Amino acid sequence: MLKQDINEKRKARHKQTQEDFTPPEVVKMLCEGNELMFEDFSKTVCDPCCGSGNIIRYILKERYKHCKNENDLIKALSTMYGTELMQDNTEECHIKILKDIKEYFSGHNISYKEEHIRPIIEKNIVCADTFKWDYENWCPLKEKSDSIALF
């Protein structure tokens, strides 16, 4: 999709959903001073409104710098989470992350198998309503049955 087409799609959708995307300079400012989340793959990061992945991708790109092999990549991905209301944004996020991985790791001669990492990305970055998601158990919230029968 051309950048102009994407921008037109964003403008039209903003009118419908009020969605906006975090610009790169704001993402960088948000992450400044939090270098431990890049170096320590046990640190969990969650973007509850991840859109097409600007924040998640920035953090992952910084994490890649600390990966020495596929196991490190799997660890880096395994603690990155995101929810996004719009299915096309979620899919775009998945595609962009896979593209980023391919570009970075091919340039650093680190091998990995996409079939090992794709399921992690698809499990951890989901299309869901952030207000109806159980973040502790990483699944949709269960509907409560608070109905009372009146006789």
Side-chain angles (χ1 to χ4, degrees):
M1 193 175 239
L2 296 172
K3 187 169 183 112
Q4 183 178 0
D5 294 339
I6 291 171
N7 288 336
E8 290 302 317
K9 175 184 132 180
R10 302 277 189 245
K11 284 181 191 176
R13 185 122 93 203
H14 179 78
K15 290 178 184 177
Q16 296 170 345
T17 65
Q18 299 302 305
E19 76 180 9
D20 278 308
F21 293 86
T22 311
E25 58 275 6
V26 174
V27 172
K28 188 174 181 178
M29 285 178 13
L30 286 170
C31 295
E32 283 178 359
N34 293 306
E35 285 74 20
L36 192 56
M37 78 175 143
F38 305 141
E39 301 165 11
D40 184 351
F41 301 153
S42 71
K43 300 293 181 197
T44 300
V45 178
C46 180
D47 185 349
C49 303
C50 69
S52 59
N54 293 351
I55 295 171
I56 289 174
R57 290 177 57 228
Y58 179 87
I59 295 167
L60 281 171
K61 285 178 184 180
E62 292 298 319
R63 283 183 167 196
Y64 300 156
K65 296 173 186 176
H66 302 280
C67 292
K68 294 173 183 58
N69 53 46
E70 183 184 40
N71 286 337
D72 287 346
L73 173 59
I74 288 170
K75 289 176 191 173
L77 289 169
S78 294
T79 52
M80 292 294 301
Y81 295 88
T83 58
E84 168 54 35
L85 186 60
M86 307 304 286
Q87 183 65 41
D88 60 333
N89 289 340
T90 306
E91 291 168 4
E92 185 178 342
C93 183
H94 293 168
I95 290 166
K96 286 179 174 182
I97 290 171
L98 288 167
K99 182 179 176 226
D100 293 343
I101 290 169
K102 184 177 183 178
E103 287 175 5
Y104 184 86
F105 287 90
S106 65
H108 289 83
N109 294 322
I110 298 173
S111 63
Y112 67 92
K113 293 192 174 168
E114 188 173 320
E115 61 265 23
H116 294 165
I117 60 170
R118 180 183 287 275
I120 297 167
I121 294 166
E122 291 174 353
K123 176 183 169 273
N124 289 7
I125 300 169
V126 297
C127 181
D129 183 336
T130 193
F131 298 110
K132 297 178 181 177
W133 193 255
D134 179 349
Y135 288 90
E136 189 174 329
N137 297 302
W138 203 249
C139 64
L141 284 172
K142 305 227 181 332
E143 294 290 325
K144 292 183 180 179
S145 178
D146 292 336
S147 59
I148 299 172
L150 300 174
F151 298 97

